[in-house]
Amino acid sequence: MDDDDDATDEGRVTLATVARKAGVSLPTVSKVLNGRADVSHRTRAKVERLLAAQGYRRRPPGPSRAPLVELVFHELESVWAVELILGVENVAKANGATVVLTESGTRHAPAEDWIEGVLRRRPLGVVLVFSTLPEPVKGRLRSYGIPFVIIDPAGDPDPDVPSVGSANWSGGLAATRHLTELGHRRVAVITGPEDLMCSLARLDGYRSAMAMAGLDVDPALVRYGDFHVQSGYRHAMELLALPDPPTALFAGSDLQALGVLQAARLHGLSVPRDLSVVGYDDVSLAQWTSPPLTTVHQPLRRMAEEATRMLLEPADPDGTARRIELATRLVVRQTTAGPTVG
């Protein structure tokens, strides 16, 4: 048994103590410690709670640990996922590690069964593209000595979780100010899901820019999408059919902006003569739309690189979770212009 003789730093708590308190055998405790699957969820949770309460710390992993960095998404189909993969790969390769991709859970957290697999794989660390992690998952990763970092598109990481994000409010502000400074007064917005902080931050940036321009926000011009093409298309079709349609539209992602461009074509509108469009993310295809998309550059690849460095560098001596927030910037191409007069 790998961990039977381990104890806390104080040397007082042994696995036999934990087994006795949990009412299980010593081999069962060892199975929990080694990530074996043949332990019930209830027993595993009980043993893990006692290990944490007793201050037990596993032996630091030796040279047998797999030279892997695990990157976990809730979906791999988004084009911005490619930028994140390339960023993780750049730093992992420089450190002699291989990247393993996993798709699991929802945009908020990985699925419950993911943790069992990662504990068996014992990677050097885990990069997660989620809003946060459930407390039991964080506890188990920490007890196994597996570091983790969140690449945080949602904008609201737990304070005890290392994370890398970007300036969503500033991005929304820059996109909308660009449109109001061109002279647009009817500016619509299609942000992301209403339960994600990044969506709300980009929307707040939009509202702030409208206020700075002395413009009221028409509630009919504010829509919540899901960052995918279809939601941009659906909302834009509705917005452009209004009796007083917008002359400009800020889409909370480049994918939604693609849907907006298609809706404009179906309404017989020319971009940017009849409708100005700004996206968000600056994924590689943004420069190849017709016309090339004006958008907010979110440094996705650099976010992934910074997150992977945080994994592979020694932890801060004081144990404080690091938070890095990178700047966004407007990239002006050919989908924006002043409103047509008359």
Side-chain angles (χ1 to χ4, degrees), residues 129-321:
V129 189
F130 294 97
S131 304
T132 186
L133 282 179
E135 288 298 329
V137 173
K138 290 190 287 187
R140 294 189 69 187
L141 288 172
R142 286 170 176 149
S143 69
Y144 275 76
I146 299 175
F148 56 92
V149 177
I150 285 180
I151 297 177
D152 177 44
D156 59 342
D158 291 337
D160 65 336
V161 176
S163 62
V164 180
S166 66
N168 288 291
W169 180 86
S170 297
L173 179 78
T176 312
R177 282 192 69 180
H178 174 62
L179 295 170
T180 60
E181 288 174 355
L182 286 171
H184 292 280
R185 296 295 175 261
R186 295 278 293 169
V187 180
V189 60
I190 306 172
T191 189
E194 197 168 359
D195 60 348
L196 285 184
M197 286 299 293
C198 65
S199 305
L200 300 178
R202 292 171 197 177
L203 179 58
D204 284 344
Y206 158 85
R207 292 184 188 279
S208 296
M210 294 291 281
M212 291 169 64
L215 301 173
D216 294 328
V217 173
D218 182 347
L221 300 185
V222 177
R223 304 297 175 97
Y224 293 92
D226 61 10
F227 290 142
H228 290 289
V229 175
Q230 185 61 33
S231 71
Y233 170 78
R234 184 180 69 254
H235 286 298
M237 287 295 288
E238 295 173 358
L239 289 164
L240 297 175
L242 291 173
D244 187 10
T247 62
L249 198 152
F250 165 40
S253 73
D254 289 343
L255 290 180
Q256 289 186 156
L258 291 180
V260 173
L261 294 177
Q262 176 64 8
R265 282 190 286 269
L266 292 180
H267 274 275
L269 302 177
S270 173
V271 175
R273 185 189 65 201
D274 304 315
L275 178 73
S276 285
V277 180
V278 179
Y280 199 104
D281 286 328
D282 194 24
V283 296
S284 58
L285 60 78
Q287 61 185 311
W288 299 109
T289 61
S290 182
L293 183 66
T294 295
T295 187
V296 174
H297 178 78
Q298 181 172 213
L300 295 168
R301 192 177 304 193
R302 188 179 163 210
M303 289 165 65
E305 290 173 345
E306 293 292 346
T308 311
R309 289 190 188 99
M310 289 170 74
L311 278 185
L312 301 177
E313 291 175 356
D316 289 348
D318 61 0
T320 303

